[in-house]
């Protein structure tokens, strides 16, 4: 009964969303990839919002129900039937009456299972399709027969674009670049230190000197090179190329719409407030937390550990890592490989979850001392241990898949837990009940 009710709601919301798009004809940016969709969405929104009335997907509304909700400007009703009824009435009102509807929609489109993107893209039909990064072992591969099938699924966003649109891809990802041949539309590429229409160079971590004379990381700086110009971009509050790429995609969007280059870079520069994505937070005992708890995958974890390695502060580096989910047959090998990476980066490793035990094993197999490796089955189990472990100056990376709830660890060790609702992921009531 519950399944039938859900299918009915999805069908009705989708029908309303299609009619709303037909009536208001907004331009649509569709974003897919295995990593970086939400950060890219936020960066693109910041650029387009300088000139247009724009709406973006809330949180990660990238599914068969999330995309219609974004189009209708409605919220997730979870288990509340009255909210779902209100959503349907809202959609009906948009169809019947005139409203001031956004000029642009910036929408994430994800693929949990086969046909997810194909089904959505076939009626959303984006004006601009953005392919972030796919990686060797993409997230959600568990539900596909092969990596090739998952890549084909993501390609439907390019295949179903509107005629006359623009495809923007990660020029450093061969699979993303291959999508260019699937459409006759114009294409743009972004790259880090490579070749492309928008290229980042001189990417560096920026630091701030504290009262005690020691430096702490505060953000990243780089130069955006495009159309014969080189413009500095300064991002604060975050670390890693995970935020450079989204900035490049946003600049490429602006370039495709003939927006002023300086305005683009100014819109992107500044504090990045997206929670749970390499976000720098002050921790207890004057420690620094790198909060990357939104989700985890092999490519994202590899980049996070690379960033941890690049931090030049001569203090202890601690990696607190949870399970990476939905990897299917690749799970054990990828967790072992993650452990190998940790051994060359961190002084201390703490794992959370059954699958993450393989991270611990991989680290020890590659030279990390057993006395520096600690394992817990649940995030809450680590709380008292962490309170006794952390010392002033520690740099602490926290990362794991959504279901492991690693944000609970960040809440436990952050300096200002009273600010958790605005700083951490999964803070709405339904998530906190779980």
């Amino acid at each position: 009964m519950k399944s039938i009710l859900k299918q009915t709601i999805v069908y009705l919301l989708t029908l309303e969303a299609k009619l709303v798009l037909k009536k208001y004809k907004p331009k649509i940016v569709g974003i897919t990839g295995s990593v970086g969709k939400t950060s890219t969405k936020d960066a693109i929104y910041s650029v387009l919002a300088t000139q247009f009335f724009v709406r973006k997907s809330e949180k990660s509304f990238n599914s068969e129900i999330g995309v219609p909700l974004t189009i209708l400007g409605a919220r997730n009703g979870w288990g509340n039937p009255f909210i779902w009824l209100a959503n349907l009435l809202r959609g009906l009102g948009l169809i019947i009456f005139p409203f001031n509807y956004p000029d642009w929609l910036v929408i994430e489109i994800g693929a949990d299972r086969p046909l997810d993107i194909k089904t959505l893209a076939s009626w959303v039909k984006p004006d601009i399709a953005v392919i972030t990064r796919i990686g060797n072992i993409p997230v959600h591969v568990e539900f596909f027969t092969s990596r090739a099938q998952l890549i084909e699924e993501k390609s439907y966003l390019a295949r179903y674009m509107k005629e006359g649109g623009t495809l923007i891809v990660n020029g450093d990802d061969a699979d993303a670049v291959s999508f260019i041949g699937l459409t006759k539309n114009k294409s743009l590429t972004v790259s880090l230190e490579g070749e492309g229409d928008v290229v980042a160079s001189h990417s560096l971590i920026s630091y701030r000197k504290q009262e005690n004379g020691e430096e702490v990381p505060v953000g990243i700086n780089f130069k955006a090179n495009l159309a014969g110009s080189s413009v500095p971009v300064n991002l604060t509050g975050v670390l890693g190329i995970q935020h450079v790429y989204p900035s490049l995609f946003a600049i490429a969007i602006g370039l495709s719409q003939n927006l002023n280059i300086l305005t683009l870079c100014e819109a992107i520069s500044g504090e990045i407030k997206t929670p749970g994505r390499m976000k720098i937070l002050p921790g207890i005992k004057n420690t620094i937390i790198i909060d990357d708890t939104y989700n985890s995958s092999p490519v994202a974890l590899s980049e996070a550990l690379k960033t941890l390695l690049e931090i030049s502060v001569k203090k202890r580096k601690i990696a607190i890592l949870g399970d990476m989910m939905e990897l299917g047959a690749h799970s054990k090998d990828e967790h072992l490989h993650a452990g190998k990476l940790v051994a060359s980066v961190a002084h201390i490793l703490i794992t959370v979850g059954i699958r993450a035990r393989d991270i611990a094993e991989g680290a020890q197999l590659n030279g990390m001392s057993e006395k520096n490796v600690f394992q817990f089955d649940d995030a809450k189990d680590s709380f008292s241990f962490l309170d006794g472990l952390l010392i002033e100056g520690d740099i602490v990376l926290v990362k794991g898949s959504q279901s492991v709830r690693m944000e609970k660890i960040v809440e436990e060790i952050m300096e200002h837990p009273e600010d958790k609702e605005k700083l951490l992921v999964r803070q709405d009531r339904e998530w906190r009940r779980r």
Side-chain angles (χ1 to χ4, degrees):
M1 183 64 184
K2 188 176 181 180
S3 176
I4 294 173
L5 182 59
K6 179 183 176 181
Q7 290 175 14
T8 302
I9 290 173
V10 170
Y11 173 79
L12 293 174
L13 289 174
T14 301
L15 177 61
E16 289 185 341
K18 290 177 179 178
L19 293 172
V20 165
L21 293 183
K22 185 176 181 180
K23 176 180 178 180
Y24 294 98
K25 296 180 173 56
K27 289 190 174 183
I28 298 172
V29 179
I31 305 165
T32 197
S34 294
V35 293
K37 291 190 295 295
T38 301
S39 297
T40 299
K41 172 198 69 182
D42 291 342
I44 290 172
Y45 173 86
S46 68
V47 162
L48 289 176
T50 63
Q51 299 288 328
F52 306 103
F53 177 22
V54 188
R55 176 186 296 157
K56 63 179 179 177
S57 304
E58 289 297 324
K59 297 169 184 170
S60 291
F61 276 11
N62 62 15
S63 63
E64 63 176 355
I65 198 162
V67 171
L69 287 176
T70 298
I71 293 169
L72 300 178
R75 62 192 178 109
N76 192 336
W78 296 98
N80 190 325
F82 296 105
I83 295 178
W84 289 115
L85 178 59
N87 287 340
L88 291 171
L89 291 174
R90 177 182 177 82
L92 192 60
L94 283 169
I95 295 165
I96 296 174
F97 304 106
F99 278 86
N100 182 25
Y101 195 80
D103 305 306
W104 284 85
L105 298 176
V106 184
I107 300 175
E108 288 185 51
I109 299 181
D112 288 336
R113 289 173 170 78
L115 301 182
D116 280 355
I117 291 180
K118 184 177 183 180
T119 301
L120 287 169
S122 66
W123 62 268
V124 171
K125 295 187 182 300
D127 297 89
I128 299 177
V130 175
I131 315 298
T132 60
R133 187 174 178 182
I134 296 173
N136 291 329
I137 306 295
V139 68
H140 303 313
V141 71
E142 176 181 8
F143 302 109
F144 291 81
T145 58
S146 65
R147 177 177 178 273
Q149 186 189 28
L150 176 56
I151 293 172
E152 180 182 18
E153 184 64 33
K154 293 184 181 298
S155 76
Y156 285 114
L157 194 65
R159 297 174 190 266
Y160 281 104
M161 289 172 58
K162 287 190 181 77
E163 186 176 346
T166 303
L167 173 65
I168 304 176
V169 304
N170 185 329
D172 301 327
D173 188 299
D175 295 304
V177 172
S178 71
F179 292 177
I180 293 174
L182 302 177
T183 177
K184 295 180 180 179
N185 286 326
K186 176 184 176 182
S187 62
L188 296 172
T189 58
V190 306
S191 176
L192 204 67
E193 303 284 358
E195 296 182 355
D197 297 287
V198 184
V199 178
S201 63
H202 303 88
S203 177
L204 296 170
I205 296 174
S206 57
Y207 297 87
R208 172 176 54 81
K209 186 169 288 188
Q210 296 180 302
E211 291 181 0
N212 60 9
E214 295 181 347
E215 292 187 328
V216 294
V218 294
I220 43 179
N221 302 325
F222 66 93
K223 289 184 178 180
N225 306 291
L226 69 157
S229 299
S230 181
V231 184
V233 178
N234 305 306
L235 307 178
T236 59
V238 294
L239 294 172
I241 65 167
Q242 299 91 319
H243 292 282
V244 176
Y245 277 120
S247 298
L248 298 181
F249 282 118
I251 292 170
I253 291 275
L255 186 64
S256 74
Q257 300 304 304
N258 299 312
L259 300 184
N260 181 273
I261 294 173
L262 288 176
T263 301
L264 300 180
C265 294
E266 286 175 2
I268 293 167
S269 293
E271 183 180 3
I272 305 298
K273 296 183 178 180
T274 307
R277 295 162 180 87
M278 296 298 285
K279 183 75 175 173
I280 302 171
L281 297 175
I284 59 173
K285 303 180 182 180
N286 200 27
T287 58
I288 297 293
I289 302 169
I290 304 173
D291 175 12
D292 202 24
T293 57
Y294 171 70
N295 210 345
S296 191
S297 67
V299 64
L301 178 53
S302 175
E303 293 297 347
L305 290 170
K306 181 181 178 182
T307 300
L308 185 63
L309 177 64
E310 290 173 348
I311 296 174
S312 61
V313 175
K314 291 180 172 56
K315 296 291 184 178
R316 292 197 310 180
K317 295 179 180 179
I318 300 173
I320 308 178
L321 307 177
D323 293 345
M324 292 185 288
M325 307 298 287
E326 301 178 357
L327 297 178
H330 302 281
S331 181
K332 185 174 181 65
D333 287 344
E334 289 304 317
H335 283 87
L336 287 170
H337 179 66
K340 180 180 179 180
L341 297 177
V342 171
S344 64
V345 173
H347 299 95
I348 296 172
L349 168 65
I350 299 161
T351 67
V352 177
I354 296 173
R355 295 167 184 80
R357 292 175 185 173
D358 290 323
I359 300 179
E361 181 181 348
Q364 291 177 65
L365 287 173
N366 287 276
M368 197 168 198
S369 173
E370 184 178 358
K371 69 178 183 178
N372 293 328
V373 179
F374 306 91
Q375 302 177 59
F376 299 92
D377 289 338
D378 184 85
K380 292 180 180 179
D381 297 339
S382 68
F383 290 173
S384 59
F385 171 78
L386 288 170
D387 187 60
L389 173 74
L390 298 181
I391 60 174
E392 183 175 354
D394 284 344
I395 308 291
V396 186
L397 170 68
V398 188
K399 186 170 183 62
S401 285
Q402 290 189 11
S403 60
V404 196
R405 304 303 301 280
M406 299 294 283
E407 77 276 4
K408 293 181 179 180
I409 290 179
V410 178
E411 179 182 343
E412 183 67 18
I413 63 173
M414 65 192 294
E415 184 179 12
H416 297 291
E418 67 273 14
D419 295 331
K420 62 186 178 185
E421 291 187 4
K422 64 180 181 181
L423 295 177
L424 305 185
V425 293
R426 292 181 286 276
Q427 293 303 298
D428 46 1
R429 185 182 303 173
E430 292 295 331
W431 270 110
R432 292 190 63 79
R433 285 175 178 171
R434 299 182 184 184

